[in-house]
Amino acid sequence: MAKPFAYALMAEKMDAIDRLDIQFRWGGYGFRVHRCHLTSFPAGKIIRFHKHSEYEFHFIPRGKGTVVLEDGSFPVHEGQFYLTGPNVMHQQEADQREAMDELCLHIDIVPLEDGENAQWGERWERHEARMCI
């Protein structure tokens, strides 16, 4: 018995979250969400090499495939998460026999001017954000 697809509502309206205006700060960085959408790749589908000007967070909720980056090819499957940074060339391929779904979060991460973040967060938070970014 197949388990229900947790993102079935998004499959009906794949761009429903795209219209939300989400912005926040963490330490000395500003975050702005551009898009968050569900993409479905039929078996064998290839999205040829491309890049984005923002960070792209990828989560595979169902299926399997391959992501090809400049430094190699990597298998991806249900439950995996990967990140492509700004201007990183990447290609996505669904498995030849199995479709693949992907949640994509496109987000800008920008350092804030000193005056903008001087009062934002505790010292440890600013340090933590700087180390992660």
Side-chain angles (χ1 to χ4, degrees):
M1 179 178 194
K3 62 183 176 181
F5 185 43
Y7 303 95
L9 290 175
M10 282 188 77
E12 293 173 21
K13 189 149 180 73
M14 293 181 180
D15 63 348
I17 298 177
D18 283 354
R19 292 183 294 272
L20 297 177
D21 182 21
I22 302 172
Q23 298 180 47
F24 60 95
R25 292 181 180 191
W26 179 38
Y29 297 90
F31 293 75
R32 176 176 288 130
V33 174
H34 290 282
R35 295 190 322 267
C36 181
H37 60 275
L38 177 68
T39 302
S40 294
F41 300 91
K45 174 74 174 176
I46 297 174
I47 303 298
R48 298 280 175 211
F49 277 103
H50 64 286
K51 61 184 177 178
H52 306 277
S53 61
E54 68 275 355
Y55 289 88
E56 186 178 20
F57 293 80
H58 308 259
F59 175 69
I60 310 299
R62 180 168 63 178
K64 63 182 180 179
T66 304
V67 62
V68 183
L69 302 169
E70 295 167 344
D71 60 346
S73 179
F74 305 92
V76 293
H77 56 80
E78 182 176 331
Q80 278 194 307
F81 167 85
Y82 68 95
L83 169 68
T84 52
N87 300 310
V88 172
M89 293 293 291
H90 59 287
Q91 176 171 295
Q92 295 135 298
E93 306 170 358
D95 183 77
Q96 288 298 312
R97 288 182 235 106
E98 185 177 340
M100 178 176 74
D101 291 307
E102 179 181 87
L103 284 170
C104 297
L105 175 65
H106 296 257
I107 188 168
D108 273 337
I109 303 173
V110 297
L112 299 172
E113 299 295 324
D114 287 337
E116 292 178 272
N117 68 30
Q119 302 301 315
W120 182 258
E122 300 290 333
R123 174 180 280 165
W124 66 265
E125 180 183 294
R126 290 190 305 271
H127 176 74
E128 178 183 62
R130 187 173 46 254
M131 293 295 97
C132 287
I133 300 300

